[in-house]
């Protein structure tokens, strides 16, 4: 099954920001495009707005004047649904209400030909439920573009329970022909991106609700240590707190209130207060003119330790050893495998976040997972009230000697980056096991849809087969609500190699 021929008309119903963006994508690809909106005059206004954007593309030399003029000639506002009768594809981008979408597609089914592909751009509703209102749901598919549609390459091609393979394949190939990067996905709450991205927000909010760190510090650690482009608080301010919370609530409800997707009470209060982020002038941060942006907590300067003793294998943090030597800190090795940690001169220990808490041990400081310890500019440390001041000072001085800013947070298991990455990896393995998407498509979706520094499976391979499982298992012991219980898929992944090796 191939992509739609460029001579085939494409219609977009709903002419808001997303509808206009989708129409522009189809138009620039070469299709005749019809615009329809139930509100009088909206389709004409949308056509003018698209024309203005085409002018800007010409000014930026991304489109020639002749290409712009030809595209304008192919763009037609429609006053009635009947004018979409000869379209080969109709994409809907109207209000996110199931009844509204179902009614629209019932009306469209009376207008278009039997072989017309019908698609919804929904981001939160069930594709199966919308298509369930149709006499022929086999031709119905989800085409979830990301905003702004002309710029962002990802398109989730979502097959509902009744979607024909030929329809999904045609939608997939058409999106690819439009210059997009499509990923195939089963109809599951949140699809790929909005399902697997939930922990990025949820764990940041959980650390904040535990009073372990403030938003500015958590954001800085996610960016400067975890390698994420933006922190969770600044990103949700950009998205809109009401929008982000609504998606979280929808996924949670759709999974029958699965505790893994529980919304944040702190974010709920923010939304209730009208602090919706940048668009309202205040969210987690104040965006009023002249408002000062809060600075992350950064520890004062401490003297670095003269030496450390390494016990065991530091695993994902192994790069620290040559870095310490380069910084002039002597690294002594203990032949006995007593764990995976660094012993400081005062006898205290420094260990990579593992899902346990500092208060459980005599004198331990935890440090957070980094995407790349050489490139990271900030490291988070956590300690309990029982941790000696000498041990904490030596740990701070050690990372400062490596050129890092240091943020000391509360004694929360899994810290910030480590627990976030572990949960993302877990949800990704669970999604593959349940037939949502392939490993390759999930990595592609998370890289392109939310700009993660690594896809979940690339991260999983880097960290080692059992890393995420072990961390979540320890977290689950300390929070037995089920939120951190590793999935069966992650359990199988963690132990698969060992079982193969032990089989006679």
């Amino acid at each position: 099954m191939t992509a739609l021929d460029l001579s085939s008309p494409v219609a977009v119903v709903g002419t808001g920001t997303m509808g206009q963006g989708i129409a522009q994508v189809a138009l620039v690809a070469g299709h005749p495009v019809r615009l329809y909106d139930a509100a009088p005059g909206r389709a004409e206004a949308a056509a003018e707005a698209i024309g203005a954007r085409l002018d800007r593309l010409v000014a930026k030399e991304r489109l020639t004047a002749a290409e712009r003029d030809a595209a304008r000639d192919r763009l037609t506002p429609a006053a009635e649904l009947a004018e979409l009768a000869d379209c080969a594809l109709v994409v809907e981008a109207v209000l996110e209400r199931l009844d509204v979408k179902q009614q629209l597609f019932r009306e469209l089914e009376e207008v278009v030909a039997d072989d017309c592909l019908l698609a919804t751009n929904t981001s939160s509703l069930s594709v199966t439920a919308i298509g369930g209102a149709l006499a022929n749901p086999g031709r119905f598919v989800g085409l979830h573009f990301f905003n702004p549609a002309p710029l962002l390459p990802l398109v989730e091609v979502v097959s509902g329970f009744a979607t024909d393979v030929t329809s999904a394949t045609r939608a997939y190939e058409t999106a690819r022909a439009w210059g997009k990067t499509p990923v195939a996905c089963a109809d599951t709450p949140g699809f790929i991106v909005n399902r697997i991205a939930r922990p990025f927000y949820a764990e940041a909010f959980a650390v904040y609700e535990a009073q372990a760190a403030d938003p500015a510090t958590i954001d800085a650690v996610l960016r400067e240590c975890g390698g994420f482009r933006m922190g969770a608080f600044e990103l949700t301010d950009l998205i809109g707190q009401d929008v982000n919370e609504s998606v979280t609530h929808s996924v949670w409800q759709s999974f029958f209130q699965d505790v893994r997707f529980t919304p944040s009470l702190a974010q709920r209060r923010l939304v209730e207060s009208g602090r919706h982020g940048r668009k309202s002038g205040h969210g987690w941060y104040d965006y009023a003119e002249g408002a000062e942006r809060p600075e992350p907590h950064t520890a004062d300067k401490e003297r670095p330790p003269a030496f450390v003793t390494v016990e065991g294998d530091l695993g994902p943090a192994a790069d620290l050893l040559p870095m310490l030597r380069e910084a002039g800190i002597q690294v002594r090795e203990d032949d006995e495998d007593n764990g995976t940690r660094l012993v400081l001169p005062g006898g205290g220990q420094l260990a990579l976040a593992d899902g346990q808490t500092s208060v459980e041990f005599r004198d331990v400081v935890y440090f957070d997972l980094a995407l790349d310890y050489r490139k990271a500019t900030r490291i988070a440390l956590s300690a309990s009230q029982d941790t000696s001041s000498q041990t904490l000072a030596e740990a701070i001085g050690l990372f400062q000697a490596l050129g890092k800013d240091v943020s000391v947070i509360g004694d929360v298991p899994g810290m910030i980056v480590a627990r976030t990455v572990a949960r993302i990896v877990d949800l990704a393995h669970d999604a593959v096991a349940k037939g949502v998407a392939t490993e390759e498509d999930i990595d592609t979706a998370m890289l392109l849809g939310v700009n993660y520094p690594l896809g979940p499976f690339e991260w999983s391979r880097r960290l080692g087969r059992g890393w995420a499982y072990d961390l979540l298992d320890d977290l689950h012991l300390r929070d037995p609500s089920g939120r951190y219980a590793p999935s069966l898929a992650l359990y199988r992944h963690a132990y698969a190699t060992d079982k193969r090796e032990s089989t006679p």
Side-chain angles (χ1 to χ4, degrees), residues 43-243:
E44 288 79 4
E48 291 180 7
I50 294 170
R53 284 200 288 272
L54 296 177
D55 288 339
R56 290 195 289 273
L57 290 177
V58 172
K60 294 177 181 178
E61 298 184 347
R62 296 177 183 172
L63 208 64
T64 67
E67 289 170 335
R68 174 200 59 197
D69 294 343
R72 280 180 167 168
D73 289 342
R74 295 194 302 272
L75 182 61
T76 308
E80 304 289 341
L81 281 179
E83 296 177 47
L84 313 183
D86 63 337
C87 289
L89 167 64
V90 180
V91 183
E92 162 273 317
V94 302
L95 189 66
E96 282 286 274
R97 274 180 44 187
L98 180 62
D99 59 336
V100 172
K101 293 179 187 289
Q102 286 179 328
Q103 180 60 33
L104 169 63
F105 282 109
R106 277 193 290 261
E107 294 175 8
L108 281 168
E109 205 169 28
E110 297 296 320
V111 170
V112 298
D114 291 342
D115 60 351
C116 176
L117 189 62
L118 299 176
T120 175
N121 183 59
T122 186
S123 61
S124 61
L125 299 176
S126 165
V127 170
T128 300
I130 300 170
L134 299 178
N136 177 17
R139 60 165 161 177
F140 186 73
V141 67
L143 276 178
H144 181 216
F145 289 77
F146 288 73
N147 194 29
L151 297 180
L152 295 186
L154 185 69
V155 177
E156 293 177 319
V157 181
V158 186
S159 293
F161 187 78
T163 302
D164 292 336
V165 173
T166 53
S167 298
T169 303
R170 171 157 284 184
Y172 184 98
E173 293 299 334
T174 296
R176 186 157 63 177
W178 290 357
K180 296 300 181 183
T181 303
V183 291
C185 175
D187 184 22
T188 184
F191 309 141
I192 298 175
V193 172
N194 280 329
R195 172 178 177 151
I196 294 173
R198 294 344 301 157
F200 179 73
Y201 315 108
E203 295 312 308
F205 298 159
V207 172
Y208 168 75
E209 289 174 331
Q211 301 187 59
D214 60 276
T217 300
I218 296 169
D219 277 353
V221 172
L222 286 168
R223 288 194 314 270
E224 300 171 35
C225 182
F228 292 94
R229 184 168 296 185
M230 299 180 74
F233 296 90
E234 58 190 343
L235 179 55
T236 51
D237 268 357
L238 179 63
I239 295 169
Q241 297 300 333
D242 53 337
V243 174

Side-chain angles (χ1 to χ4, degrees), residues 139-426:
R139 60 165 161 177
F140 186 73
V141 67
L143 276 178
H144 181 216
F145 289 77
F146 288 73
N147 194 29
L151 297 180
L152 295 186
L154 185 69
V155 177
E156 293 177 319
V157 181
V158 186
S159 293
F161 187 78
T163 302
D164 292 336
V165 173
T166 53
S167 298
T169 303
R170 171 157 284 184
Y172 184 98
E173 293 299 334
T174 296
R176 186 157 63 177
W178 290 357
K180 296 300 181 183
T181 303
V183 291
C185 175
D187 184 22
T188 184
F191 309 141
I192 298 175
V193 172
N194 280 329
R195 172 178 177 151
I196 294 173
R198 294 344 301 157
F200 179 73
Y201 315 108
E203 295 312 308
F205 298 159
V207 172
Y208 168 75
E209 289 174 331
Q211 301 187 59
D214 60 276
T217 300
I218 296 169
D219 277 353
V221 172
L222 286 168
R223 288 194 314 270
E224 300 171 35
C225 182
F228 292 94
R229 184 168 296 185
M230 299 180 74
F233 296 90
E234 58 190 343
L235 179 55
T236 51
D237 268 357
L238 179 63
I239 295 169
Q241 297 300 333
D242 53 337
V243 174
N244 181 262
E245 201 252 0
S246 176
V247 172
T248 299
H249 195 270
S250 174
V251 171
W252 175 62
Q253 290 283 21
S254 297
F255 275 115
F256 308 106
Q257 300 186 358
D258 186 331
V259 69
R260 295 177 302 165
F261 301 99
T262 301
S264 162
L265 181 58
Q267 187 181 38
R268 179 91 288 266
R269 293 292 178 258
L270 199 69
V271 172
E272 289 173 340
S273 71
R275 294 186 170 186
H276 293 170
R278 288 179 179 269
K279 62 186 178 184
S280 69
H282 205 305
W284 296 109
Y285 301 109
D286 186 353
Y287 298 94
E289 186 175 350
E292 289 188 16
R293 182 71 175 261
E295 293 294 325
H297 167 76
T298 302
D300 293 335
K301 190 71 175 174
E302 298 286 355
R303 290 173 59 86
F307 68 90
V308 293
T309 303
V310 59
E311 295 183 348
D313 178 9
L314 291 185
D319 283 350
L320 288 176
L321 298 182
M323 293 169 62
L324 290 170
R325 293 186 179 99
E326 291 162 15
I329 297 174
Q330 182 184 2
V331 177
R332 303 173 180 177
E333 297 190 15
D334 189 332
D335 292 335
E336 293 186 16
D337 187 1
N338 296 319
T340 55
R341 60 200 173 193
L342 296 171
V343 181
L344 299 163
Q349 299 173 17
L350 185 59
L352 176 61
D354 59 5
Q356 301 182 86
T357 57
S358 181
V359 75
E360 300 171 52
F361 303 98
R362 183 179 63 81
D363 199 10
V364 170
V365 172
Y366 279 106
F367 64 94
D368 210 347
L369 177 71
L371 173 69
D372 184 324
Y373 282 100
R374 286 194 176 275
K375 294 180 180 179
T377 57
R378 182 178 299 273
I379 296 292
L381 302 180
S382 71
S384 75
Q385 66 272 20
D386 296 330
T387 304
S388 73
S389 57
Q390 179 183 353
T391 295
L392 183 57
E394 288 176 344
I396 292 170
L398 181 146
F399 281 104
Q400 288 175 339
L402 301 182
K404 317 299 183 187
D405 288 327
V406 176
S407 293
V408 180
I409 69 170
D411 187 20
V412 286
M415 301 192 67
I416 298 171
V417 179
R419 70 197 289 175
T420 299
V421 171
R423 288 207 60 215
I424 289 170
V425 167
D426 182 42

